[in-house]
Amino acid sequence: MPGTNLTKSEAADRAALIPSAAYTIVWDFTGSGTTFRTITTVTFEAPVGASTFLDCVGATIVSVHLNGTALDPKHSAHGGRVTLTDLAAHNTLIVEADFAYRTDGQGIHRFVDPEDGEVYLYSQFAAADARSAFPCFDQPDIKATFAIDVLAPAHWVVVSNSPTPEPVREPAASTSIGEAGVNRWTFAPTVPLPTYVAAVVAGPYAWAEGDLRSRKGPLKARVYGRKNLAAHLDAEEMIGTVQAGMTLYEKVFDTEYPYEKYDQVFVPEYNLGAMENAGCVTFSEDHLLFRSRPSDAERERRLNVVLHELSHMWFGNLVTMRWWDDLWLNESFAEFVGTWATEQVTPWKDAWVTFGASRKSVAYVQDQLPTTHAIVTDVPDTEATVSAFDMITYAKGASALKQLAAHVGEDAFFAGVAAYLKRHAFANATLAEFLAEVEAAAGWPLDAWADAWLKTPGVTALRPVIETDDAGVITAFSVAEEVPAAHPVQRPHRVTIAGYVHHCGRFERTWSVVASLHGAVSGVADVVGKPRPDLLLVNDADRTYAKAHMDDVSIATIGAHVGDLTHPMAQASVLDALWHMCRDAALPAQRYIDAVATVLPAMANSEVAEAHARTMVVALTRYVPPSQVPAVARSAAESLWATVDAAAPGGDRQLQALKAYARVASTPAQAARLSALLDGSTSLQGLEIDTDLAWDLLTGMAACGVAGEVEIAARLERDPGAIGRRRAAGTRAAIATTEAKRAAWDALARPAGAPAPNAVQYEIALGLARATDPAHLAPLAPTLLAQLREYYTANDGWVGARVARYVFPTWAAGRVDDLENIIEAWLADNADAPSTLVKIVREGLDEVNRALAAQAASA
């Protein structure tokens, strides 16, 4: 993250002096260069004679005036801060400055459309980048009103937190554009907001409009996107989902929507999935705007994100955390209630199955790393916030809130939420204040629950302990909870234990018991007397957060009949158990891969299919012994092709299986099938090879070594826009030669000019790390490690962290001698590296050791 690293203690001291503020901001986007001009007026109260500072990063300051007195920027502004001394009771600060446009997805991001040369701007201020767009007190607990003026080319559209006004033409003499014409948009002041959800979006965006009905009355709603993508905005679905969510949330929160309109903007080259700017939500064009046919998983994911961001308007924006320690409360709540709402108001009625496969399972992985943290964790400074956006914060936290809602009852939970929102509206609050309201609604204390679930890191594992008589009747039954050695704390669990019988080619659930588990071993008397099932699941409805181990009988049954599982949650639970047993070196990777390939033809949930297609590739490239990878990959791909061949024409399984096949195909013959589909010499009934699917197929061919620059250039001619260029960069990096991989790394670490934009860097990094057999990647591992810190230093923040994770040579486990010791030496030599990078390398080392153990178990 650029600029100064604001610490938690500095922020607390400043908030004690400056409880609130008001900003009047003029943004001038009419210049043709790499900077934009701002004139910011900040009014605030302070103790007489006090001193503080304003955040102002990456700016060339033209002038500073405090209470009518000019300050010399050379003396008052340094290190990303403007020092303010001898404050009055009522203060007015005016700063005029030039800030740089960004291409890393933060601050004010500037994108130039390669098809028509048009410029698109958008802001991304979370976590601490408002300060790189205007001078401010950039921390969540100094809330402020925002009165925003924007000067921009007359043919642009400008969107902010308040309703978009009619623009006024500026006199030509006052602008730098001249004949082209400039408009001024003057937005009404907002209600108090934290700086990180203030927003401005500007450019020749296309839009579609609709109406919303709120408790406060009718509201305008628009969906925006680049004009080249205007046909793909899906405004009716986007706005319709917001309406359904708003009606639900106003009911359960018992609080009206707090803002005056609701805009949703698809923006290019975005770091996140979406961002909850108040009344002006930004979405990733790359991932959530569908110019080609989406899978059912992608369709559900977008609606879930819409509902997630909408919930933030209350939980996060209306009531905001005091500091980033409580980021989890914002994101965990939105993750929980967004999934709950998806099930309530959209067609996707197994949203919790999706959540378990796509989110919670990833949290289990992260919660076993040496860098794991409690849901509630200390965030000492703004640099550390980059690491705080993880699946422990999102999915484990959401799982904990789901347990809390089950623990106190859904009615009491939402009554507590409503009381919390009313008490702290337009202000800041903490976890203790949230729990106090839920406690009051529930009528009992939650201290022990919070200590076990929110303040203790690590994931536990639940394992059935069964005794039977000669007739197979259960005579004793308990559930053992295994805790990590580093965090030996038992947790309370509310679970459904279920028994399934396999008969005549199908599984049938014959009994289930709801149980409360407490301590290392919990006896469950209600299971005694039941026949031992062929398959026993200790967390059948996925109600709790814990890895679930299966007993030997269940593992044998699944090994023989996994393809007969058809119930969505049972499929997801079994595959997730097998995946984590594979990661824990308790199950050979080949058996997990076989199970995924076997279940895929009958997969009931699209996200479960997509998630396990991804983890199957991880198992193949990391956990299968290197000498066995070619044979296992070839076999897995043939199983996937059989699924493609047998799938119902035009269905989601056909699409998912083909995408998975393109990812796993490894031989020239397998690549030839992709080539035939791409050139049209072969077709699949009901399936169009559209623009993005064509790139998927071509990338699979490149990874097999049968496509290169000629084929990429030909495809780019058909898809010459920004998305095509991004996809081409990733496909080029996926070419299966050591030379291509080295060129990809050089494009990231040694660019000829300015660094590539963030989205292009991500695509290159993913392509570089892609290899069905990573053998030709192995020679690059020493270079990557040697240059990783230099790369990160030049690209710190979101981009550097994400690329470092993508390219880290976990794929070299078992292929580079002494790799774990080489990484340990890196850590010893780079102890003073940025904390986020050190965390990434420590996690990479843990994954290398895990891969070596899994390879040994799979040998």
Side-chain angles (χ1 to χ4, degrees):
M1 191 175 296
T4 4
N5 189 20
L6 180 69
T7 68
K8 179 180 176 180
S9 60
E10 287 176 321
D13 291 344
R14 185 165 63 176
L17 294 175
I18 316 292
S20 62
Y23 297 98
T24 299
I25 304 168
V26 179
W27 272 305
D28 185 349
F29 297 136
T30 60
S32 59
T34 59
T35 63
F36 57 93
R37 173 68 54 97
T38 68
I39 301 174
T40 304
T41 302
V42 191
T43 57
F44 59 96
E45 296 182 355
V48 175
S51 298
T52 189
F53 60 92
L54 201 71
D55 303 302
C56 186
V57 171
T60 301
I61 296 179
V62 177
S63 64
V64 181
H65 290 82
L66 176 61
N67 298 328
T69 300
L71 306 181
D72 184 351
K74 293 181 180 178
H75 295 104
S76 61
H78 50 84
R81 298 180 177 185
V82 178
T83 301
L84 307 174
T85 60
D86 196 23
L87 294 173
H90 306 283
N91 300 277
T92 300
L93 176 71
I94 303 174
V95 181
E96 186 170 0
D98 292 326
F99 288 84
Y101 289 115
R102 305 270 288 271
T103 59
D104 63 350
Q106 297 298 115
I108 302 293
H109 184 94
R110 184 175 187 266
F111 168 84
V112 181
D113 194 320
E115 289 187 86
D116 56 19
E118 291 279 18
V119 173
Y120 292 85
L121 308 177
Y122 64 85
S123 63
Q124 174 58 36
F125 294 155
D129 276 313
R131 59 189 180 168
S132 62
F134 64 99
C136 58
F137 302 115
D138 201 1
Q139 59 189 78
D141 60 342
I142 301 182
K143 282 189 158 180
T145 59
F146 293 83
I148 292 171
D149 270 32
V150 176
L151 293 167
H155 71 291
W156 283 17
V157 173
V158 179
V159 187
S160 187
N161 306 101
S162 296
T164 299
E166 286 297 319
V168 176
R169 183 61 62 97
E170 282 288 290
S174 66
T175 73
S176 60
I177 285 187
E179 294 297 325
V182 168
N183 281 347
R184 179 185 290 267
W185 285 261
T186 300
F187 292 86
T190 68
V191 294
L193 302 172
T195 50
Y196 73 90
V197 298
V200 64
V201 177
Y205 287 89
W207 52 272
E209 189 170 54
D211 295 300
L212 295 170
R213 297 175 307 282
S214 165
R215 279 189 180 184
K216 64 171 39 173
L219 301 171
K220 285 297 181 186
R222 289 179 178 177
V223 179
Y224 294 84
R226 286 194 294 126
K227 62 182 181 179
N228 292 335
L229 298 170
H232 307 295
L233 296 180
D234 293 337
E236 184 176 349
E237 180 180 75
M238 296 288 288
I239 294 172
T241 304
V242 169
Q243 179 63 76
M246 186 175 290
T247 301
L248 178 66
Y249 292 160
E250 287 188 328
K251 177 183 177 182
V252 296
F253 300 161
D254 194 25
T255 303
E256 69 180 25
Y257 173 72
Y259 308 112
E260 299 306 314
K261 53 94 177 179
Y262 199 85
D263 291 331
Q264 300 173 91
V265 190
F266 290 106
V267 297
E269 299 179 342
Y270 204 45
N271 285 331
L272 308 176
M275 178 65 205
E276 66 268 19
N277 308 308
C280 180
V281 179
T282 40
F283 289 84
S284 168
E285 166 195 296
D286 295 338
H287 299 292
L288 295 173
L289 184 144
F290 306 138
R291 61 175 190 157
S292 299
R293 176 190 166 187
S295 67
D296 286 352
E298 290 168 323
R299 293 173 59 214
E300 179 183 356
R301 190 177 307 135
R302 183 168 73 181
L303 297 190
N304 177 271
V305 171
V306 169
L307 293 167
H308 175 117
E309 302 306 328
L310 177 63
S311 74
H312 274 308
M313 300 300 125
W314 290 265
F315 217 96
N317 296 1
L318 177 63
V319 181
T320 307
M321 62 202 166
R322 291 195 186 279
W323 179 247
W324 299 104
D325 290 358
D326 280 329
L327 170 70
W328 82 272
L329 190 54
N330 279 15
E331 296 302 344
S332 298
F333 182 85
E335 187 86 358
F336 164 71
V337 82
T339 304
W340 175 79
T342 300
E343 197 171 68
Q344 297 286 318
V345 303
T346 79
W348 309 103
K349 299 306 180 185
D350 56 355
W352 286 112
V353 178
T354 298
F355 170 80
S358 65
R359 313 289 278 182
K360 190 199 282 192
S361 188
V362 179
Y364 291 158
V365 172
Q366 294 181 351
D367 214 5
Q368 295 174 85
L369 292 167
T371 55
T372 188
H373 56 84
I375 296 172
V376 177
T377 190
D378 182 56
V379 178
D381 48 46
T382 51
E383 180 187 312
T385 59
V386 174
S387 296
F389 286 86
D390 62 14
M391 279 302 128
I392 296 173
T393 296
Y394 282 73
K396 182 179 181 181
S399 300
L401 291 178
K402 187 182 179 187
Q403 278 280 305
L404 177 60
H407 183 57
V408 303
E410 203 169 87
D411 290 345
F413 176 80
F414 280 116
V417 170
Y420 170 81
L421 292 172
K422 292 172 184 176
R423 186 180 300 275
H424 302 287
F426 300 109
N428 298 83
T430 64
L431 167 65
E433 289 163 320
F434 170 71
L435 289 179
E437 300 297 343
V438 179
E439 281 184 344
W444 63 73
L446 296 173
D447 300 40
W449 177 89
D451 286 342
W453 278 105
L454 304 181
K455 300 177 182 179
T456 303
V459 59
T460 63
L462 302 179
R463 178 174 53 82
V465 180
I466 310 169
E467 295 180 16
T468 62
D469 60 19
D470 292 341
V473 175
I474 297 172
T475 56
F477 185 89
S478 59
V479 178
E481 182 180 32
E482 300 170 358
V483 299
H487 311 288
V489 176
Q490 253 79 37
R491 296 190 176 115
H493 299 274
R494 185 78 169 162
V495 298
T496 298
I497 302 166
Y500 291 77
V501 170
H502 183 264
H503 180 68
C504 296
R506 60 191 293 267
F507 281 92
E508 180 182 354
R509 188 168 73 168
T510 54
W511 57 263
S512 65
V513 169
V514 176
S516 294
L517 310 179
H518 301 274
V521 179
S522 300
V524 184
D526 288 348
V527 175
V528 175
K530 298 185 182 300
R532 179 168 190 157
D534 299 320
L535 170 64
L536 188 143
L537 299 178
V538 294
N539 187 24
D540 181 58
D542 198 30
R543 298 176 68 176
T544 195
Y545 177 87
K547 293 191 298 180
H549 287 178
M550 291 189 289
D551 64 288
D552 291 343
V553 171
S554 296
I555 291 174
T557 301
I558 287 300
H561 306 294
V562 67
D564 294 337
L565 272 173
T566 57
H567 188 275
M569 186 63 87
Q571 284 181 339
S573 297
V574 166
L575 287 178
D576 195 58
L578 296 177
W579 164 236
H580 288 287
M581 291 173 71
C582 168
R583 292 191 73 253
D584 293 342
L587 182 80
Q590 299 92 321
R591 290 184 64 181
Y592 166 69
I593 293 167
D594 288 345
V596 174
T598 302
V599 174
L600 191 61
M603 199 77 81
N605 179 283
S606 184
E607 178 57 44
V608 175
E610 190 172 299
H612 285 283
R614 288 192 299 267
T615 50
M616 178 172 65
V617 171
V618 175
L620 174 63
T621 55
R622 294 186 198 172
Y623 303 153
V624 171
S627 64
Q628 298 181 28
V629 166
V632 175
R634 183 168 58 251
S635 174
E638 290 303 317
S639 294
L640 291 169
W641 184 255
T643 301
V644 173
D645 213 28
D652 188 69
R653 289 178 190 168
Q654 182 190 48
L655 177 63
Q656 291 276 34
L658 179 58
K659 288 185 173 183
Y661 175 80
R663 192 66 182 78
V664 175
S666 60
T667 69
Q670 290 170 346
R673 292 175 180 142
L674 301 175
S675 179
L677 289 170
L678 191 58
D679 66 24
S681 57
T682 298
S683 64
L684 292 170
Q685 185 181 352
L687 184 63
E688 175 191 355
I689 306 301
D690 55 28
T691 305
D692 287 304
L693 184 55
W695 280 113
D696 292 338
L697 303 185
L698 182 60
T699 306
M701 293 163 59
C704 288
V706 301
E709 192 57 49
V710 172
E711 291 81 5
I712 294 168
R715 178 57 46 187
L716 192 54
E717 283 187 10
R718 296 187 179 193
D719 186 24
I723 299 174
R725 293 188 181 198
R726 174 174 60 80
R727 294 298 306 266
T731 303
R732 194 174 291 116
I735 294 173
T737 66
T738 302
E739 293 74 23
K741 300 300 184 183
R742 198 172 298 280
W745 175 244
D746 287 344
L748 294 168
R750 299 279 195 276
N758 53 337
V760 177
Q761 290 204 46
Y762 302 149
E763 204 78 27
I764 293 171
L766 288 168
L768 186 158
R770 176 169 177 167
T772 305
D773 185 351
H776 57 267
L777 267 172
L780 191 59
T783 302
L784 282 174
L785 288 169
Q787 297 177 2
L788 190 62
R789 181 171 181 176
E790 180 184 354
Y791 166 80
Y792 184 87
T793 301
N795 297 272
D796 67 339
W798 294 101
V799 177
R802 188 173 299 179
V803 169
R805 283 194 174 93
Y806 287 164
V807 304
F808 194 84
T810 49
W811 34 260
R815 297 171 175 89
V816 172
D817 291 340
D818 216 24
L819 178 63
E820 62 274 33
N821 291 327
I822 294 171
I823 298 171
E824 287 176 353
W826 188 99
L827 287 166
D829 294 341
N830 292 273
D832 61 340
S835 60
T836 298
L837 180 60
V838 171
K839 179 176 184 283
I840 290 166
V841 176
R842 288 184 63 204
E843 291 171 351
L845 174 61
D846 185 78
E847 180 60 24
V848 165
N849 287 324
R850 183 178 291 273
L852 293 172
Q855 288 173 15
S858 301

